[in-house]
Amino acid sequence: MSHVWEKANDVQQFSGRHIGPSDSDVQAMLQELGYASLDELTRTALPKAIQDTALLDLPAALQEHEALAELKRIMSQNKLNRSYIGLGYYDTVTPSVVLRNIIENPAWYTQYTPYQAEIAQGRMEALINFQTMVSDLTGLPFSNASLLDEGTAAAEAMSMSRDLAAEGLGDVYYIAQNCLPQTIEVVRTRALALGLKVSVVDPQKVNFGSEAFGLLLQYPAADGRVEDYRNLIAQAKNKGLIVTLATDLLALCVLAAPGELGADIAVGSSQRFGVPLGYGGPHAGFFATKDEFKRRMPGRIIGVSKDANGQNGFRLSLQTREQHIRRDKATSNICTAQVLLAIMASMYAVYHGPKGLKRIAERTHALTRVLGTGLKKLGYALKSENYFDTLAVKLDQAQADGLMRAALAKNVNLGRLDDSVLIALDEKADAQQVSELLSIFAEGKPVPVLKDLAAAAGEAIPAALVRTSAYLQHPIFNSYQSESEMMRYIRKLESRDLSLTRSMIPLGSCTMKLNAASELLPITWPEVNGLHPFVPVDQAKGYKQLFEQLENYLAVCTGFDAISLQPNSGAQGEYAGLLVINKFHESQGQGHRKVCLIPSSAHGTNPASAVMAGMQVIVVKCDNDGNIDLADLKTKAVEHKNDLAALMITYPSTHGVFEEEIVQICNIIHENGGQVYMDGANLNAQIGLCRPGKYGPDVCHLNLHKTFCIPHGGGGPGVGPIGVKKHLAPFLPNHPLVKMGGDKGVGPIAAAPWGSASILPISWMYIRMMGPDGLKKATQVAILNANYMAKRLDSSFPVVYRAKNGLVAHECIVDLKEVKKTADVSVDDIAKRLIDYGYHAPTVSWPVPNTMMIEPTESESKAELDRFCETMISIRNEIREVEQGKAPKDNNVLKHAPHTAAVLTGGWDRPYSREQAAFPKAWVKENKFWPYVGRVDNAYGDRNLVCTCPDISSYS
Ligand SMILES: *Cc1c(COP(=O)(O)O)cnc(C)c1O
C-alpha cells in the first residue's frame, strides 16, 4: 500500500529543473572537491558565526502548474476598469509581433548588458533606434538609452542642470506646478538629499532672478494644457538657468519639439509606445539634450564605431562618465536601466513608422476634441482650450466626487488633479468610449451626437505649436510595416546577440541564472499588466496580496523586518537605503552624520549612490587577500565617529569570498554611531544559509534581477527592493498619490509606488516553486559550481582570492596578468576569443584589473561548466603557442578574435587555419555563434560620437 502512496505523491519538483547539476553530478563534483555532502561544503565555506541552522520559514514548494494557478487566483482579485487617469501612464497596444518575438522570447529577455559589443549588435541597433526616435521627436540631437522612469529622469535633469547652470546662481530648482505630481516629489526627494531647494511655481508669474539654477516644465502639462513656452524658456535661459521639458512622445508626433522651443533637456517616459501599464512599471524613461551637454548626460549611450575590418559596429559610448570608472564623481548611479522596455518602445516606432505614429496621435487628439466639444456642450468648463489628449474639467468638490462615483459604477476610472477631474485618452480609445464618457457627464441628459460634435470641434493646438518638422525619416522606421518584414527584422537582430538561450553567461556579481518560462508567463497576463498605477487601491487587491506575500518571503529570506519594493534597480535600492539612514540619523538629532565608508573594492554604484544621498565618501583599504583592511576600517571609523553615517559593504565580498570578520566589521561601525548598509548583489551565496538581518547589517538591497530570477533584459528591467531593521522601517520610501511605505518616509525615489510592480510575479513564482529546501539547495549548488570551476581552472588561470579554508563563495576571480607578460595576451583578447567558442566573457577586470570574475550560478549543469572550463583551458593552450614562439605575438588567433564569417571567407594570410579560428573544438561546429562584427574599436567611437542611426551610406 505505502508503495502506491509514494508513487501517488512522487511529483517532479521545479527545483530539479532550476538547478543544473543532477544529484549524481553533485556527488561527483563534491568528490572532486573532497566533501561528502553539500551541507559539509557550505558549513565549511561560510563563517560559523553567521550560519543559520533552521530552514527558511516559507511555504512548501508548489509544482509549476500549481504555482501558476495560485498566482492566477491571487491576481484575479485585481479589477480591470477602463482607466482615463493619465498623469504619465496611458494604455497602449503592444504589437503582437513585438509581444511574441521580444517580450515572450528568452533570446531577447535573457541577454546581458551590452559590455561585450561584438555579441550585442542586435540589441544595440534596437537601442540606437530608441535614441534616434527620442532625438527626432524631442528635436534634441543626443539621447540616452535609457533611464528608470520619468520621475528619475527629471531628477537627473535637475542634477545635470546644477552642474551646467551659469555661475553665481542660487540653489533653487523651479518646478512648474502643473508638472506630474509624482515627478515633483521624486525631484524633491533628490533635491533635499543634495541640499538643493525645490520651489513649485506658477511659471507665468515667476521673476527669473539669480536664486534658481534651473526650471522644469511639463509639455503637455499634467492637466493636459498645451502651452507655448518659447518666451518663458528664453527668459529663463537669459538668466543662465537650464530649462528642462518633461514631455510625451506621442504628443510630440503633432506638437512642436522641445528643441524647437529652446529647451536644453527633454525627459519623459516611453511607456505609451507599446509598453503595458503594468501597475506602474517597468517602463523606459528617456533623456535628450543639446550637443554641448552630451558628455554630461546620465545613463547609457549607444554609439557607432568601427570594427577591426572597417565595418560599422555599435558600442556603449562615453563609459568614462559612468560610475564604474568615475565612482563618486560619476554623472549618475545608473547601472541597470530599462533596456528591454526601451527596445520594445523602439520596435513600436519601427513597426508603426512616422505615418503610423502620426495617425495614432491624430486619432487620439481627434477623439479628445470630440469629447472636449461634447463636455462644453453639456455645460462643463475646461481648464484649458489647448490640449492634446487630456481634458481637465473644472468642478467643485461635490460635483467631482459625484462624477467619479458615477464613472466607477460603469467600471471607468477618471483622474483627479487639484480642482478638476481629468480624462486622458489613449491609443485604445474609440468613439464608443467617448460616447460612454459623455453619458457619464450628461447625468441623464441626452448625450450629444459625436458626428455633430466633430463637425463643431475647434482647433485645440495653437498654430504656433503645430509640428511642422519631420521625424523618423531614417529607412529603419520606414521599411518594416508588414508583419513578415517586422518579424524578420526582430529575428535578424536577435541572431546577432548571444543570450542564455545559447550558452552560460558566467558574469561575476550579476548572477545570470535561469529565468524559467513559468516565472515569466504571468507578466503578460492582463490582470498583471493592465492596471494603471493610480487606480483606487481597492481595484488592486491582487497586487496588494502579491506585495504582502513577496515582502514577507523576502523578509524571511534576509532576516529583515520590513521591505520596500519601490526601487527599480539595485543602485536605486542603494540610494533609497542611504536616504533611510539619513532620515534615521535626523530623527535621532544626528542629522550631521554624513560620512560614508566604502571599501576600495566596492561596486561603482556604491560611491555614486552615496553622493546622490548627500554623503561624503571615505575609501577603506583592502588587504592583499581582497578583504577589508580591518585596521584601516577601525582607524577611519574612529576618526569620523562624530560624523559617521554608514558603511557600505558587499557580502560575500566583491572578491567572491566570505570574510570571516563580517560580524566584527558591523560592530565597529555600530560602536561609532554608524549604520551598516549591505550591498546584497551577492545574496545568491546566502539564501537559506545565513541572513544579513541577523548578523549585523541594518539595511540591504536585493537585486531581484540577480538572485530572484528576473531576467536582465539586456540591461534592465530590474527590481532592487531594500530590507531594513525595525528602527528604519518608518522611513521607507512613500508616495504622494498612493498611501504606502513608511509613515515618516523619505519621499518617493521612483515615479510609481511599487516601482516595477508587474515583474514581481517572477520572483514570487521562483520562491513558491522552490520552497525553503529548494532555495537552500540552489545556494549550495551555486557555491559548489563556483568551487568546482575554481578547481578546474586554477592550473590554467590561477584563482586570485580564497578564504582561509581554501574555498570561494559563489564566484571566483581568475588571474590573467601572467599571460600579458608571457605572451602579450590581454584580458580583452581572451574575452573576444571566447566569442569564437560561443561564449560570453565573464566580468572583465572588475573588481581587480586584468582578471575575470566567473559566476556559474546553480542553474548551469556540470556538462556546461565542463564545456566552459575546457574552453578556457583550450584558450590557455592557444596562449602557450604564443609563449613558445609557435605563434607570433601580434598576429595570432587571440589578437584577431572574434572572427566573422566575412573574414573567414575572405583572403587568408594568417599563421593559423580558418578551421582553428572558427571551430577550435569539435562541439563548436554543432552550435556555432557567428559574430556579426569583428572587434569594435572603443576609442574611435568616443572620439567620433554618433548616437543616432548611422546614414545608410556609411554601411560598408
Ligand atoms: C549589480 C550590482 C549593483 C547595481 O545593481 P543595478 O541593479 O545594476 O543597479 C550594485 N552592486 C553590485 C555588487 C552589483 O553586482
Side-chain angles (χ1 to χ4, degrees):
M1 259 322 266
S2 73
H3 193 61
V4 176
W5 189 240
E6 264 166 35
K7 278 201 189 297
N9 285 289
D10 184 15
V11 296
Q12 166 70 48
Q13 291 291 339
F14 169 74
S15 61
R17 307 281 185 198
H18 174 83
I19 295 172
S22 65
D23 287 342
S24 58
D25 286 341
V26 166
Q27 280 314 317
M29 292 156 81
L30 282 167
Q31 198 163 6
E32 188 104 353
L33 294 171
Y35 291 88
S37 67
L38 283 171
D39 280 338
E40 189 192 325
L41 171 74
T42 53
R43 265 202 309 271
T44 313
L46 272 73
K48 285 269 161 324
I50 66 170
Q51 291 187 36
D52 278 336
T53 43
L55 267 189
L56 293 170
D57 183 15
L58 293 171
L62 293 177
Q63 297 178 71
E64 297 181 47
H65 67 279
E66 293 170 337
L68 282 167
E70 171 69 4
L71 186 66
K72 191 78 175 183
R73 195 191 55 73
I74 293 174
M75 298 313 276
S76 300
Q77 300 170 85
N78 289 334
K79 190 158 186 287
L80 283 170
N81 274 10
R82 177 69 171 101
S83 285
Y84 301 98
I85 299 172
L87 297 177
Y89 302 90
Y90 305 86
D91 212 346
T92 174
V93 179
T94 308
S96 295
V97 62
V98 173
L99 178 76
R100 170 141 299 205
N101 293 289
I102 294 187
I103 205 70
E104 294 178 345
N105 179 354
W108 280 94
Y109 64 67
T110 69
Q111 298 167 356
Y112 182 61
T113 308
Y115 288 125
Q116 294 294 332
E118 298 79 4
I119 51 88
Q121 292 296 303
R123 58 191 176 277
M124 287 204 279
E125 175 161 330
L127 291 174
I128 213 147
N129 295 347
F130 178 86
Q131 291 176 181
T132 305
M133 164 187 102
V134 170
S135 171
D136 274 14
L137 288 172
T138 59
L140 289 161
F142 279 88
S143 158
N144 71 9
S146 47
L147 292 177
L148 292 163
D149 58 31
E150 178 161 347
T152 54
E156 296 290 345
M158 176 195 65
S159 295
M160 188 171 122
S161 302
R162 172 86 257 205
D163 292 341
L164 291 169
E167 301 243 330
L169 293 176
D171 56 5
V172 175
Y173 193 56
Y174 286 144
I175 305 187
Q177 61 200 11
N178 54 11
C179 286
L180 298 176
Q182 69 274 20
T183 297
I184 297 176
E185 294 313 312
V186 171
V187 176
R188 196 195 302 275
T189 304
R190 187 83 69 95
L192 273 178
L194 294 172
L196 303 172
K197 296 186 191 89
V198 160
S199 181
V200 179
V201 297
D202 177 348
Q204 304 299 354
K205 297 194 181 128
V206 169
N207 233 329
F208 296 105
S210 60
E211 69 160 10
F213 61 88
L215 168 66
L216 175 68
L217 303 164
Q218 188 99 34
Y219 172 74
D223 57 12
R225 179 189 299 264
V226 172
E227 204 168 318
D228 191 344
Y229 290 130
R230 283 182 182 92
N231 283 338
L232 195 61
I233 292 173
Q235 276 174 43
K237 283 171 71 171
N238 233 343
K239 297 285 184 183
L241 280 74
I242 304 292
V243 181
T244 300
L245 249 55
T247 188
D248 176 284
L249 294 178
L250 191 65
L252 295 184
C253 293
V254 295
L255 291 181
E260 293 162 1
L261 305 183
D264 298 299
I265 301 170
V267 297
S269 164
S270 59
Q271 180 263 317
R272 71 190 306 178
F273 274 26
V275 183
L277 290 162
Y279 201 39
H283 309 136
F286 64 82
F287 190 110
T289 191
K290 305 196 291 199
D291 190 67
E292 55 198 287
F293 297 159
K294 66 192 174 205
R295 283 171 203 273
R296 297 290 320 172
M297 185 156 58
R300 298 237 165 82
I301 307 167
I302 308 299
V304 185
S305 187
K306 296 272 173 230
D307 79 351
N309 318 308
Q311 189 186 333
N312 275 340
F314 301 117
R315 59 178 284 277
L316 286 172
S317 294
L318 300 182
Q319 289 191 63
T320 48
R321 310 157 305 131
E322 291 189 38
Q323 4 78 28
H324 291 298
I325 293 173
R326 296 270 290 166
R327 303 182 74 83
D328 52 324
K329 295 182 185 64
T331 49
S332 84
N333 72 340
I334 301 294
C335 184
T336 288
Q338 304 279 19
V339 166
L340 191 64
L341 300 315
I343 288 171
M344 275 184 88
S346 81
M347 289 297 183
Y348 178 92
V350 169
Y351 180 64
H352 287 296
K355 289 199 197 90
L357 291 178
K358 190 162 187 200
R359 179 170 57 233
I360 295 166
E362 286 185 337
R363 182 168 172 275
T364 308
H365 181 56
L367 286 165
T368 314
R369 283 163 68 191
V370 172
L371 179 63
T373 311
L375 288 169
K376 283 200 300 189
K377 183 136 194 233
L378 288 170
Y380 291 95
L382 299 183
K383 248 183 122 175
S384 172
E385 297 292 325
N386 295 325
Y387 49 78
F388 165 62
D389 65 358
T390 300
L391 302 167
V393 188
K394 262 181 145 156
L395 295 165
D396 66 37
Q397 185 85 13
Q399 249 182 327
D401 289 346
L403 278 165
M404 301 283 290
R405 263 199 309 277
L408 277 177
K410 294 196 160 179
N411 299 330
V412 165
N413 296 326
L414 302 175
R416 189 82 178 259
L417 189 70
D418 308 326
D419 58 349
S420 22
V421 163
L422 294 183
I423 314 169
L425 299 192
D426 54 44
E427 184 187 359
K428 279 193 180 160
D430 59 23
Q432 156 110 37
Q433 293 174 11
V434 168
S435 240
E436 186 183 30
L437 284 164
L438 285 173
S439 78
I440 292 168
F441 279 80
E443 295 182 306
K445 287 186 292 240
V447 178
V449 177
L450 296 195
K451 258 194 174 161
D452 299 344
L453 293 174
E459 292 299 330
I461 294 176
L465 289 178
V466 172
R467 180 151 195 154
T468 52
S469 54
Y471 47 85
L472 305 184
Q473 297 300 293
H474 194 279
I476 292 266
F477 299 100
N478 294 280
S479 307
Y480 306 109
Q481 273 75 48
S482 82
E483 181 162 331
S484 290
E485 288 293 348
M486 187 66 193
M487 173 178 71
R488 288 174 195 150
Y489 179 60
I490 294 173
R491 183 71 186 88
K492 176 175 86 176
L493 297 192
E494 176 191 322
S495 72
R496 294 177 182 178
D497 286 17
L498 197 147
S499 70
L500 283 178
T501 58
R502 204 166 250 288
S503 51
M504 72 186 289
I505 303 186
L507 266 151
S509 212
C510 288
T511 316
M512 301 286 292
K513 59 168 69 174
L514 170 74
N515 317 116
S518 287
E519 289 155 6
L520 270 293
L521 284 179
I523 64 164
T524 47
W525 291 350
E527 53 272 60
V528 169
N529 71 20
L531 270 74
H532 189 288
F534 305 147
V535 297
V537 284
D538 64 2
Q539 289 175 25
K541 288 194 182 120
Y543 263 114
K544 182 162 182 279
Q545 190 173 358
L546 176 82
F547 299 152
E548 281 170 1
Q549 291 192 352
L550 186 60
E551 285 176 12
N552 173 42
Y553 299 161
L554 296 176
V556 168
C557 287
T558 57
F560 284 107
D561 299 306
I563 303 279
S564 168
L565 296 170
Q566 194 177 90
N568 39 21
S569 75
Q572 289 303 93
E574 294 167 16
Y575 166 65
L578 295 175
L579 291 184
V580 165
I581 289 176
N582 275 341
K583 194 112 186 203
F584 166 74
H585 285 313
E586 274 164 37
S587 77
Q588 305 290 301
Q590 299 279 306
H592 57 278
R593 291 187 172 272
K594 290 288 179 208
V595 168
C596 186
L597 302 182
I598 300 183
S600 58
S601 62
H603 194 263
T605 53
N606 290 187
S609 299
V611 168
M612 270 169 61
M615 291 183 176
Q616 181 202 348
V617 175
I618 304 270
V619 178
V620 179
K621 285 188 217 146
C622 287
D623 66 18
N624 291 336
D625 297 327
N627 295 328
I628 288 194
D629 179 334
L630 215 57
D632 192 49
L633 175 80
K634 209 176 267 174
T635 308
K636 284 176 174 151
V638 171
E639 184 184 335
H640 296 284
K641 70 178 192 191
N642 293 328
D643 307 308
L644 185 62
L647 164 76
M648 292 185 90
I649 182 167
T650 306
Y651 198 75
S653 75
T654 51
H655 292 135
V657 174
F658 284 108
E659 286 163 307
E660 291 285 340
E661 294 83 7
I662 182 68
V663 176
Q664 208 184 333
I665 289 171
C666 295
N667 286 342
I668 293 172
I669 298 305
H670 287 142
E671 281 157 17
N672 290 287
Q675 294 279 293
V676 177
Y677 182 96
M678 197 186 96
D679 179 329
N682 291 345
L683 220 54
N684 208 48
Q686 302 188 56
I687 303 297
L689 301 181
C690 65
R691 289 179 294 166
K694 299 297 176 198
Y695 60 74
D698 301 285
V699 47
C700 156
H701 80 255
L702 295 73
N703 300 66
L704 298 191
H705 47 299
K706 295 179 181 175
T707 314
F708 291 93
C709 295
I710 290 176
H712 277 65
V719 182
I722 53 174
V724 297
K725 287 221 183 124
K726 205 176 256 129
H727 64 284
L728 297 178
F731 311 110
L732 287 175
N734 45 6
H735 197 275
L737 300 179
V738 180
K739 193 172 152 37
M740 54 87 61
D743 47 7
K744 290 178 231 157
V746 296
I749 56 106
W754 288 276
S756 295
S758 65
I759 53 175
L760 293 173
I762 300 170
S763 299
W764 185 95
M765 284 290 293
Y766 175 60
I767 295 171
R768 287 301 274 117
M769 295 192 297
M770 292 294 275
D773 26 16
L775 288 172
K776 177 181 173 191
K777 186 171 176 193
T779 308
Q780 293 185 310
V781 174
I783 294 174
L784 174 69
N785 277 359
N787 278 284
Y788 176 76
M789 290 185 87
K791 176 129 200 261
R792 278 212 67 183
L793 291 173
D794 195 45
S795 56
S796 302
F797 299 104
V799 173
V800 186
Y801 302 111
R802 296 172 192 274
K804 289 193 194 82
N805 52 35
L807 293 172
V808 298
H810 64 312
E811 58 192 6
C812 68
I813 298 181
V814 296
D815 200 341
L816 308 177
K817 275 194 291 291
E818 200 50 35
V819 297
K820 178 78 191 165
K821 283 184 223 142
T822 57
D824 194 32
V825 169
S826 70
V827 182
D828 233 27
D829 296 333
I830 297 174
K832 302 311 175 194
R833 183 59 179 151
L834 276 167
I835 297 171
D836 287 332
Y837 285 80
Y839 277 110
H840 192 297
T843 301
V844 165
S845 282
W846 185 82
V848 187
N850 301 309
T851 62
M852 282 187 178
M853 180 156 60
I854 302 171
E855 180 183 1
T857 84
E858 70 278 9
S859 299
E860 297 302 338
S861 66
K862 180 168 180 292
E864 182 66 0
L865 301 184
D866 284 335
R867 209 159 64 90
F868 184 82
C869 289
E870 275 154 31
T871 296
M872 290 296 283
I873 292 164
S874 172
I875 290 177
R876 185 65 188 86
N877 289 335
E878 290 171 353
I879 298 172
R880 202 155 289 126
E881 303 252 298
V882 183
E883 288 171 340
Q884 293 170 351
K886 292 184 196 151
K889 277 193 171 171
D890 57 348
N891 185 12
N892 57 57
V893 75
L894 290 128
K895 285 280 175 247
H896 291 300
H899 296 82
T900 61
V903 162
L904 287 162
T905 51
W908 192 259
D909 57 358
R910 304 240 169 117
Y912 53 91
S913 72
R914 293 172 156 111
E915 179 88 6
Q916 193 192 342
F919 305 116
K921 286 270 178 194
W923 43 259
V924 177
K925 273 192 190 152
E926 209 184 287
N927 189 19
K928 177 67 186 171
F929 176 80
W930 289 107
Y932 175 63
V933 296
R935 201 176 298 189
V936 176
D937 184 340
N938 283 325
Y940 179 90
D942 271 355
R943 280 194 312 273
N944 306 281
L945 202 57
V946 177
C947 299
T948 49
C949 295
D951 247 20
I952 283 297
S953 62
S954 76
Y955 287 91
S956 51

